[in-house]
Amino acid sequence: TEMTTNVNETKTHISNLGRMIEDMESEMRSNLYELYILKTREVVNSLRTLNKGPAQTVAHIANLSAAVMGYGKTRKTDSEFVA
């Protein structure tokens, strides 16, 4: 990047360099952010299409129901927690 500016008592060479560095940093951060967002979207979309999850068959639903009921039988009631 090239920039032509005037140099005087208020705009010194160092302050002009600082402004250029800040502009480049801002541009680089913006580009990285856009890349990060695009890559994240790409990964999330690929996960959504590849992993559709388990088939919602009758056997699968029965297994889930059995697991919930089994947990419910061993769970302490709220009155057992009261001292």
Side-chain angles (χ1 to χ4, degrees), residues 6 17 24 29 35 44 64:
N6 296 330
L17 279 174
M24 285 301 295
R29 282 182 185 268
L35 178 65
V44 168
L64 288 175

Side-chain angles (χ1 to χ4, degrees), residues 38-49:
L38 290 174
K39 189 63 177 177
T40 301
R41 185 177 298 142
E42 178 183 327
V43 169
V44 168
N45 287 338
S46 71
L47 291 174
R48 286 182 181 160
T49 57

Side-chain angles (χ1 to χ4, degrees), residues 18-81:
R19 184 172 298 112
M20 288 177 67
I21 290 170
E22 288 174 353
D23 291 344
M24 285 301 295
E25 178 188 12
S26 177
E27 183 180 339
M28 289 175 68
R29 282 182 185 268
S30 175
N31 290 340
L32 282 173
Y33 182 73
E34 289 174 16
L35 178 65
Y36 175 77
I37 294 298
L38 290 174
K39 189 63 177 177
T40 301
R41 185 177 298 142
E42 178 183 327
V43 169
V44 168
N45 287 338
S46 71
L47 291 174
R48 286 182 181 160
T49 57
L50 293 178
N51 299 327
K52 295 179 182 176
Q56 297 295 316
T57 62
V58 173
H60 178 70
I61 294 171
N63 285 338
L64 288 175
S65 296
V68 169
M69 293 303 289
Y71 174 77
K73 289 179 183 176
T74 61
R75 185 179 175 270
K76 293 184 179 182
T77 61
D78 292 337
S79 61
E80 292 177 13
F81 289 112

